Amino acid sequence: MHRNNFALNGKAFFLVFAEKILKKQGAVMKFVRILPVVTVFAASAAFAQQATAPGPIDRVKITDNELSCAQIHGEIGDMDKVVGEARAIEAKQKTNTTAAGAAGTAAEVAGRTGLFGAIGGLTGHLFGQLAAQTAAGAVQQTSAQSAQQAGERARQAVARKEHLTGLFLAKDCKASDPNAAGRALSGEELQKLTAAGAAAAAADAGPAKAPADAQGAAALVNEAAATARPASIAASELSEDRVRELVGRAQKVAIGGYRVAFVIQNSAAAYAGAGLSNMGQSTGNIRTITQSQNRRIDVALDNITPALMQSITDRLYADFVEKLKASGREVVPFEQVGSRETFRRITVAEAKPGGSYTSSPTGDRRNFVVMAPTGMPLWFIHGDPLGNLSPISIENWRAASTLSHELQATIVTAQVIVDFARMESSGRSNIATRASVGAEPQMSIAPGYTTLTAFHATRADVGDFSAARLKSVLNMDGDFATVRQGDSHSTAGLANSLTMVTGLQGVQISRDRQAYVADPGKYAGLALGGGFGVNALLASVVKGK
């Protein structure tokens, strides 16, 4: 909000400043000549914003059963008219959006060809173009909003027409004689008709909301687990280091912890400096300077609740325990590990407001929500990028070593990273002339942070530890989310204007935001399938040769 206000205030300042300069140059009348073009767009944008939007159209009304066949037939015709009017408004507003974009482009072209120069030299170049682009930008925003509102009204009218059509047929009404009396529906018949319409409306509305309570989340996850397909991962995809050796030093393995980290935000950025293209620039009114480009796209996961993430974590942990027990080694359950006095020396990660532990590691564009199974404290060792400890805080490592010595077992902890997006970037180059970024929904188990860590000690407080890491990304194929476009902005117009005035290269900054609205059942199924596969891979290390 502050950024938008600043941008609008800044543009207003430029326009006032331009007018004062032009008055001093005696060119006010020439400046005024371009204002009708600008204000026509601005006025239509303001009118669109101030217009009173009609109320929503309910799919079902409590008085529907009292409607006669003629009334139903007439309202169906009314809905057809509403759909036609709404579609026309939607098309008109989309045309306005396109025209506004063309007006902004035309303003830039006019600046490059010297059209605005007729109203006062450099100020004409800069402020004439800026005024037109500012108004065009306002039209683009308001027209896009109006088109979206009209499209929603058309959708509501279509849903109402579908319900009325079903009612018309259920009452045995006749299109050839709408005035004929139809039969009255029983309460059971009306309920079935309404329920069928509600199911169709729910399907059109998209995925159901993810359950916010633990009971609902557990039921959804159990259903997803029944059909989840465990991923198959080659043993070579795990960089074992010394984990297998440490596990082999003891007859028993003890479960010290388990974590699932869910990626909830990500971004991709790219920069092109256009360095070589500025060599040998032309002279005259037309500039050939290529702009530098700085692009970024931000994506966020939507419709996945902490309760659902917790249930996924609990289900993956239960699967991990089962696979460890199936390895043939004696497994000391966490309940025995966590009840010891030594375990209480471990520094636990504190949850942030809202009840979840979140992490944004330095140098990593991803944001994580990290979960431990219900009843198990969340803890890390020093050097873990997702953790809460500094690189020199070795207390938790010492506590784990002591536990290994006390239990005469190798302590193991596992961490699984569940990602939701594939990001692309052309990278950073001072020579390239074009920067590009991209993103798409893609469930995966991310490498690097997906680990199995082992601790073994022959005496208290001193021991060895090592981590086995997943080396490559494990993609889980399947549609699970729809893309909802967020706000976006670009400074290309302003950068080009400044370049035309000064002759210096500018930077075009572009920002784009998207939300991936997940189907909770599909998301859970893919996360569990990937997690089950990782659990099997990690347990194979514990099993040994």
Side-chain angles (χ1 to χ4, degrees):
M1 183 63 70
H2 296 296
R3 174 178 59 78
N4 292 337
N5 289 338
F6 175 80
L8 291 174
N9 291 338
K11 292 172 182 176
F13 166 78
F14 275 124
L15 292 176
V16 172
F17 181 62
E19 185 176 2
K20 289 182 178 179
I21 294 177
L22 292 170
K23 282 181 179 179
K24 291 182 179 180
Q25 295 180 350
V28 175
M29 293 306 295
K30 292 182 179 179
F31 179 72
V32 170
R33 289 174 186 171
I34 70 167
L35 291 181
V37 179
V38 175
T39 54
V40 165
F41 283 115
S44 63
F47 178 79
Q49 282 185 318
Q50 295 173 1
T52 302
I57 301 173
D58 295 328
R59 180 185 179 92
V60 180
K61 299 179 181 179
I62 59 175
T63 57
D64 282 346
N65 202 28
E66 301 173 7
L67 296 175
S68 66
C69 291
Q71 289 173 322
I72 297 174
H73 189 271
E75 191 173 348
I76 289 175
D78 292 339
M79 291 301 102
D80 285 333
K81 292 180 181 178
V82 170
V83 172
E85 293 171 355
R87 294 301 186 199
I89 294 174
E90 183 180 18
K92 181 179 180 181
Q93 295 302 330
K94 287 182 177 179
T95 300
N96 286 347
T97 302
T98 304
T105 302
E108 181 179 333
V109 172
R112 290 187 180 274
T113 57
L115 179 60
F116 289 124
I119 67 171
L122 295 180
T123 54
H125 269 293
L126 176 60
F127 297 114
Q129 181 184 355
L130 184 57
Q133 288 180 332
T134 299
V139 174
Q140 280 186 302
Q141 182 177 3
T142 55
S143 296
Q145 292 174 349
S146 298
Q148 183 177 7
Q149 292 170 356
E152 175 61 20
R153 183 163 178 80
R155 188 193 65 78
Q156 293 174 355
V158 170
R160 175 65 176 166
K161 177 185 176 181
E162 290 174 349
H163 171 70
L164 290 171
T165 301
L167 186 64
F168 190 84
L169 297 174
K171 282 178 169 286
D172 292 336
C173 298
K174 296 178 173 59
S176 59
D177 184 12
N179 292 318
R183 70 183 184 88
L185 298 182
S186 66
E188 183 179 357
E189 289 176 317
L190 187 62
Q191 186 176 9
K192 287 183 179 179
L193 179 66
T194 304
D204 292 339
K209 286 292 184 182
D213 62 293
Q215 184 176 2
L220 187 149
V221 168
N222 288 336
E223 182 179 351
T227 57
R229 294 181 297 175
S232 177
I233 315 173
S236 59
E237 288 298 319
L238 192 67
S239 175
E240 294 183 16
D241 199 9
R242 298 173 54 239
V243 172
R244 195 182 296 269
E245 174 195 340
L246 296 182
V247 171
R249 290 182 183 180
Q251 296 297 321
K252 299 182 291 184
V253 292
I255 301 173
Y258 190 88
R259 300 184 294 271
V260 180
F262 299 88
V263 181
I264 58 171
Q265 293 180 13
N266 204 348
S267 67
Y271 174 77
L276 295 180
S277 63
N278 294 321
M279 299 176 63
Q281 53 185 289
S282 64
T283 59
N285 292 329
I286 300 178
R287 305 283 185 180
T288 60
I289 296 178
T290 302
Q291 301 290 324
S292 298
Q293 294 184 353
N294 191 330
R295 300 186 183 278
R296 173 170 171 159
I297 183 171
D298 297 306
V299 296
L301 179 64
D302 194 15
N303 201 33
I304 299 299
T305 60
L308 183 60
M309 289 188 280
Q310 184 65 68
S311 292
I312 292 173
T313 301
D314 291 345
R315 187 66 185 84
L316 288 179
Y317 172 62
D319 177 76
F320 180 67
V321 174
E322 291 176 5
K323 286 182 167 61
L324 283 186
K325 291 179 178 179
S327 68
R329 289 188 179 275
E330 181 181 351
V331 178
V332 181
F334 172 76
E335 289 73 18
Q336 294 184 29
V337 179
S339 63
R340 302 188 71 88
E341 182 67 28
T342 301
F343 189 84
R344 297 173 188 173
R345 290 165 37 190
I346 287 179
T347 300
V348 176
E350 296 183 3
K352 303 295 189 297
S356 300
Y357 174 83
T358 60
S359 178
S360 301
T362 301
D364 193 321
R365 296 184 183 276
R366 294 172 294 182
N367 292 346
F368 302 82
V369 171
V370 190
M371 296 279 190
T374 300
M376 178 184 291
L378 180 67
W379 63 278
F380 302 85
I381 62 169
H382 61 288
D384 192 315
L386 302 183
N388 59 324
L389 301 180
S390 72
I392 60 174
S393 299
I394 62 174
E395 290 79 7
N396 285 0
W397 166 50
R398 285 180 172 174
S401 297
T402 301
L403 285 168
S404 172
H405 175 69
E406 292 176 353
L407 295 169
Q408 294 297 296
T410 300
I411 307 294
V412 294
T413 65
Q415 180 169 274
V416 180
I417 310 297
V418 178
D419 207 343
F420 74 100
R422 175 188 287 130
M423 311 299 296
E424 295 180 353
S425 168
S426 60
R428 182 178 181 87
S429 171
N430 290 323
I431 300 176
T433 59
R434 183 177 297 275
S436 62
V437 293
E440 63 178 348
Q442 173 67 69
M443 290 287 293
S444 65
I445 304 298
Y449 297 169
T450 295
T451 58
L452 177 71
T453 304
F455 305 85
H456 183 268
T458 55
R459 60 191 183 93
D461 291 335
V462 179
D464 294 334
F465 79 95
S466 186
R469 302 181 182 279
L470 186 66
K471 294 191 292 185
S472 303
V473 61
L474 172 65
N475 288 322
M476 305 301 299
D477 295 330
D479 294 333
F480 74 96
T482 56
V483 179
R484 185 176 68 228
Q485 188 65 42
D487 64 314
S488 61
H489 72 276
S490 172
T491 64
L494 180 59
N496 290 340
S497 299
L498 294 175
T499 295
M500 287 186 294
V501 172
T502 65
L504 300 176
Q505 183 189 63
V507 180
Q508 298 178 0
I509 300 176
S510 174
R511 295 290 184 268
D512 191 18
R513 290 182 174 85
Q514 296 177 347
Y516 294 167
V517 184
D519 181 299
K522 294 179 179 179
Y523 176 90
L526 292 174
L528 291 171
F532 291 160
V534 169
N535 283 343
L537 182 64
L538 300 184
S540 68
V541 178
V542 174
K543 182 178 181 180
K545 297 180 180 180

